[in-house]
């Protein structure tokens, strides 16, 4: 679990990295000690007026969390292919959200999936789709709908989970600006 103090620190770092990227400045330097030195998979999402404005993540565990957040908060400003680059005048309207992930584990039965607790990864060959736990909650999806959308995210048929695709679950501690620290842990 990421403490409330470390959540605030990570959000501050993410905000600075986002603003630096948009302003074309160098990213902030981070002292990766304590929690910031632990290697975690993570995602950084940005929202504008409650709508998703970008979301990028890293599943590899090769970088300390502090550096991962700096990198992701920077690239989410202009590298999510679903969105145009963030403009300078948008910065005040953006909210940053961080998801720190547990290690994924393959499930034996889809009944193991708990909507609101688990995020999903569906893999088949070289195709992989991932959706964070909060996505299913925000859209009021059932377990099956969540699986279908994760398959589609992977570029697979919506029912690939029924026909041999691997399904993995993970959990995430989710926290963001303008949220009470720690209250959105999933």
């Amino acid at each position: 679990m990421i403490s409330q103090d470390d959540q605030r620190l990570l959000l501050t770092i993410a905000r600075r990295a986002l603003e630096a990227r948009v302003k074309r400045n160098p990213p902030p330097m981070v002292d990766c000690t304590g929690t910031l030195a632990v290697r975690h998979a993570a995602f950084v999402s940005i929202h504008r007026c409650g709508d998703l404005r970008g979301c990028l993540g890293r599943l590899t565990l090769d970088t300390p969390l502090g550096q991962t957040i700096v990198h992701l908060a920077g690239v989410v400003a202009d590298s999510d292919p679903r969105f145009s680059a963030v403009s300078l005048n948008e910065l005040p309207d953006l909210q940053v959200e961080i998801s720190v992930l547990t290690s994924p584990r393959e499930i034996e039965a889809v009944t193991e999936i708990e909507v609101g607790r688990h995020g999903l990864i569906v893999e088949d060959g070289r195709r992989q789709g991932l959706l964070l736990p909060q996505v299913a909650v925000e859209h009021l999806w059932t377990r099956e709908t969540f699986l279908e959308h994760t398959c589609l995210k992977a570029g697979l048929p919506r029912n690939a989970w029924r026909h041999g695709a691997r399904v993995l679950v993970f959990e995430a501690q989710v926290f963001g600006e303008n949220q009470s620290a720690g209250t959105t842990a999933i």
Side-chain angles (χ1 to χ4, degrees):
M1 292 291 290
I2 309 293
S3 72
Q4 289 187 2
D5 287 342
D6 286 334
Q7 289 178 31
R8 283 189 283 274
L9 177 59
L10 286 166
L11 288 166
T12 298
I13 290 167
R15 170 59 67 173
R16 288 181 183 156
L18 172 66
E19 290 178 356
R21 182 75 168 230
V22 172
K23 294 176 182 178
R24 302 184 195 281
N25 292 329
M29 298 298 293
V30 178
D31 181 20
C32 291
T33 58
T35 301
L36 275 62
V38 178
R39 296 169 191 271
H40 279 286
F43 277 73
V44 173
S45 304
I46 51 177
H47 296 85
R48 184 173 186 209
C49 302
D51 294 325
L52 184 66
R53 183 64 180 83
C55 179
L56 292 175
R58 183 178 224 162
L59 294 177
T60 59
L61 304 176
D62 57 349
T63 310
L65 182 59
Q67 290 178 1
T68 297
I69 296 303
V70 167
H71 171 74
L72 293 173
V75 297
V76 77
D78 57 22
S79 299
D80 185 332
R82 300 169 293 176
F83 300 95
S84 61
V86 171
S87 67
L88 192 58
N89 65 347
E90 286 181 279
L91 284 174
D93 298 327
L94 296 179
Q95 293 82 42
V96 176
E97 179 180 85
I98 296 172
S99 301
V100 179
L101 282 53
T102 63
S103 296
R105 66 172 176 84
E106 189 167 3
I107 59 170
E108 294 181 23
V110 297
T111 55
E112 295 178 56
I113 299 168
E114 294 181 43
V115 173
R117 177 178 179 193
H118 292 129
L120 297 180
I121 299 171
V122 174
E123 297 177 342
D124 194 8
R126 301 178 102 186
R127 296 184 180 265
Q128 180 185 69
L130 179 149
L131 287 174
L132 296 169
Q134 58 269 38
V135 174
V137 173
E138 291 167 2
H139 294 284
L140 304 174
W141 287 342
T142 64
R143 178 185 300 133
E144 290 76 18
T145 304
F146 194 16
L147 281 159
E148 290 173 355
H149 281 275
T150 309
C151 289
L152 293 172
K153 181 96 183 258
L156 298 167
R158 72 175 50 244
N159 64 350
W161 61 276
R162 294 182 189 268
H163 302 287
R166 288 180 67 211
V167 178
L168 299 95
V169 296
F170 61 89
E171 295 179 41
Q173 185 176 3
V174 183
F175 49 95
E177 295 175 332
N178 300 327
Q179 297 174 354
S180 298
T183 59
T184 35
I186 295 176

